[in-house]
Amino acid sequence: MNVALVRSEVMTDAPRDIFASARGRLPGAGKVAEKRQQAFDAYASAGLPHRRIEDWKYTDLRMLMREVLPLAAEPDAAALKRAGAALKLHAIAGVRRLVLVDGVFAPTLSGTADPEKGLGIRTLREVLEAGDTAIPAQLFAAGSFDPMVALNSAMMTDGVVIEVADGAALSQPLHIVHIASGAQPSAMFTRSLVKIGNSAAATLVESYIAAEGAKTYQVHDSLVLAVGDGARLDHVRLIEDGREAFNISSSVVTLGAKSHFNTFGMTSGSHVSRYQAVIAFAGEGSKVETNGVNLLNGRQHADTTLFLDHAVPNCASREIFRAVVDDRGHSVFQGRIIVRPKAQKTDAKMMTRALLLSDEAEADNKPELEIFADDVTCGHGATTGALDESLLFYLRARGLSEKEAQALLIQAFVGEAIESIADDTLRELAISAAQRWLAARE
């Protein structure tokens, strides 16, 4: 017990020094600075999450990450050049690109000119420095439920604030690209706010990538989404960070009445990643489809933790999650659905499946239902297994190599989750990412 206490104290000292040294670079003064300090104090009192915290029992950051790295330096011309080269390899046609390099918005790599009607884009830095009291209140409200979100609230350096006006239907997807370019170990802290107006529609893509030469780095990102009444948001996340990276990302989503939120996430990069989302049903008649895929090998560790809060009646949610784990990889899925007493006529279902390709691969699936209403339709399930030997034999007998046969079965396994992506181009993008992972297998 004494060893654990000493370790906890050590874990909180370094971030305190990092926070103090970074204060001059963090945007916002007055109440913003006060909120930063409050958020950091909340983090410091808890420290890095560990296995004795139920929500973090499978992802012990005190063992896996050990420390918070210093804030990344602002990108210079050389860093922006390396980021631009990485961007070309992950370009998506027909999107409006918003690029953050080492945690700082890069206007020369972004497409902010000539926005569509009803679209407003600002950087987080300019919003915080302008003293807009309404926006920071929404941004900091997300920092109370988790120590890593609190740390992000204290250290957030930049991001984007996107507002889609009532009734606007954007024709171009918005693509937020996070690029790590530094050769020195460092951390980047970003936060973005996306507000979709009533009866509006938009598509948001998030990508996490690394420039050539980027070494050990940490991504600490947070996204706040507000979807208005009758609005629709399609959301795709692709984590393709470098294999020495740590990616700790969070989303806080609030849904209005009769809204539709369709989200898909794929993790194939990073050494250690954790994505946690809190989705709150704030208006009747809304629908959520949340789907995900982990593609892991080596010693990768990827954790997806979702909390769906059904607080109002007549809402529906569907969760489909797939994990393919090779070598000594470790996939974690924690899905919790709570149906509160007033949330009658809730229709909520969750299914997670894991495919283990080696004897040392590991998958932890933890679906949970908490139901406090009596007129609901809810269910969940979880399975873990290996590739079907009879199907492999069937495919091998028809001339496919072992690797080709495995790839075909793996693509079919993850296909149900990928098919949930509404946009054809983005669906093909996810399929291509999965195919790259399959092609890289030995």
Side-chain angles (χ1 to χ4, degrees):
M1 180 63 73
N2 290 335
V3 173
L5 289 173
V6 170
R7 185 174 185 177
S8 177
E9 291 172 359
V10 172
M11 293 298 289
T12 58
D13 285 346
R16 193 176 297 278
D17 294 339
I18 291 169
F19 179 60
S21 63
R23 289 295 290 266
R25 290 182 51 198
L26 302 178
K31 290 186 177 180
V32 170
E34 291 176 11
K35 289 181 180 293
R36 286 188 185 278
Q37 185 64 57
Q38 292 168 4
F40 181 80
D41 291 341
Y43 166 76
S45 66
L48 285 172
H50 50 84
R51 63 181 180 273
R52 286 174 290 176
I53 300 174
E54 183 64 25
D55 286 346
W56 290 84
K57 65 182 294 184
Y58 300 112
T59 304
D60 186 340
L61 290 188
R62 295 189 185 182
M63 292 295 294
L64 294 168
M65 194 168 78
R66 296 185 179 273
E67 63 179 352
V68 177
L69 294 175
L71 185 65
E74 291 195 21
D76 56 16
L80 292 173
K81 184 177 180 180
R82 292 194 299 272
L87 201 56
K88 291 179 181 178
L89 299 176
H90 294 80
I92 305 175
V95 301
R96 182 176 295 276
R97 207 161 54 198
L98 306 168
V99 181
L100 297 158
V101 179
D102 297 332
V104 177
F105 186 75
T108 57
L109 300 176
S110 301
T112 56
D114 302 319
E116 293 184 54
K117 183 179 180 180
L119 173 63
I121 301 173
R122 292 180 288 171
T123 67
L124 177 72
R125 175 173 289 276
E126 65 180 299
V127 168
L128 293 179
E129 290 180 342
D132 186 330
T133 56
I135 297 296
Q138 292 175 301
L139 287 166
F140 282 98
S144 59
F145 75 94
D146 180 86
M148 298 309 291
V149 181
L151 178 63
N152 181 274
S153 295
M155 297 287 291
M156 57 182 177
T157 307
D158 213 343
V160 292
V161 175
I162 299 170
E163 296 178 273
V164 180
D166 293 351
L170 301 186
S171 60
Q172 275 188 309
L174 305 168
H175 188 196
I176 302 175
V177 189
H178 300 261
I179 307 177
S181 74
Q184 298 300 319
S186 60
M188 52 208 78
F189 296 85
T190 52
R191 179 168 293 189
S192 295
L193 170 65
V194 179
K195 299 174 66 178
I196 310 297
N198 297 335
S199 302
T203 298
L204 175 67
V205 186
E206 295 180 277
S207 295
Y208 301 83
I209 61 176
E212 185 177 358
K215 299 298 183 182
T216 301
Y217 63 90
Q218 294 174 359
V219 176
H220 299 269
D221 182 47
S222 184
L223 176 67
V224 181
L225 296 174
V227 184
D229 296 347
R232 176 175 179 131
L233 177 63
D234 291 287
H235 178 220
V236 176
R237 302 178 70 255
L238 299 175
I239 296 181
E240 298 183 272
D241 280 305
R243 295 300 289 266
E244 297 181 36
F246 294 79
N247 187 313
I248 310 298
S249 302
S250 304
S251 294
V252 178
V253 185
T254 304
L255 301 174
K258 297 181 180 179
S259 60
H260 188 176
F261 179 51
N262 183 329
T263 179
F264 170 85
M266 176 181 287
T267 299
S268 60
S270 292
H271 176 56
V272 174
S273 66
R274 157 93 171 197
Y275 174 63
Q276 52 188 10
V278 176
I279 302 174
F281 294 80
E284 290 191 40
S286 53
K287 180 180 180 180
V288 167
E289 298 169 86
T290 175
N291 306 279
V293 173
N294 281 347
L295 299 173
L296 310 176
N297 55 26
R299 298 181 66 93
Q300 285 182 285
H301 177 106
D303 179 341
T304 299
T305 296
L306 306 176
F307 173 39
L308 274 63
D309 188 355
H310 283 269
V312 294
N314 300 304
C315 293
S317 63
R318 294 290 183 273
E319 295 179 63
I320 297 174
F321 189 81
R322 300 287 184 267
V324 181
V325 192
D326 203 355
D327 303 323
R328 300 181 67 181
H330 184 192
S331 176
V332 177
F333 174 80
Q334 299 182 102
R336 181 183 172 204
I337 297 173
I338 184 169
V339 182
R340 300 192 183 275
K342 294 183 179 180
Q344 304 293 346
K345 302 294 184 181
T346 290
D347 182 359
K349 292 181 175 60
M350 169 173 44
M351 188 65 196
T352 173
R353 301 182 191 273
L355 185 61
L356 305 183
L357 303 181
S358 78
D359 292 338
E360 294 183 288
E362 185 178 358
D364 287 299
N365 295 319
K366 186 185 173 189
E368 296 179 86
L369 279 175
E370 295 182 41
I371 301 173
F372 300 98
D374 51 17
D375 187 7
V376 301
T377 303
C378 298
H380 67 73
T383 65
T384 301
L387 286 171
D388 190 317
E389 291 294 337
S390 63
L391 290 177
L392 280 173
F393 178 80
Y394 177 86
L395 294 172
R396 293 292 305 278
R398 277 147 185 79
L400 274 68
S401 68
E402 182 177 3
K403 185 176 180 180
E404 290 171 335
Q406 289 181 348
L408 196 62
L409 293 178
I410 292 169
Q411 287 184 63
F413 178 75
V414 302
E416 184 180 2
I418 294 177
E419 286 300 317
S420 67
I421 302 174
D423 186 280
D424 293 342
T425 301
L426 299 180
R427 191 186 314 114
E428 289 300 319
L429 183 71
I431 292 172
S432 297
Q435 290 174 339
R436 284 196 299 273
W437 184 85
L438 288 168
R441 292 185 65 223
E442 296 180 357

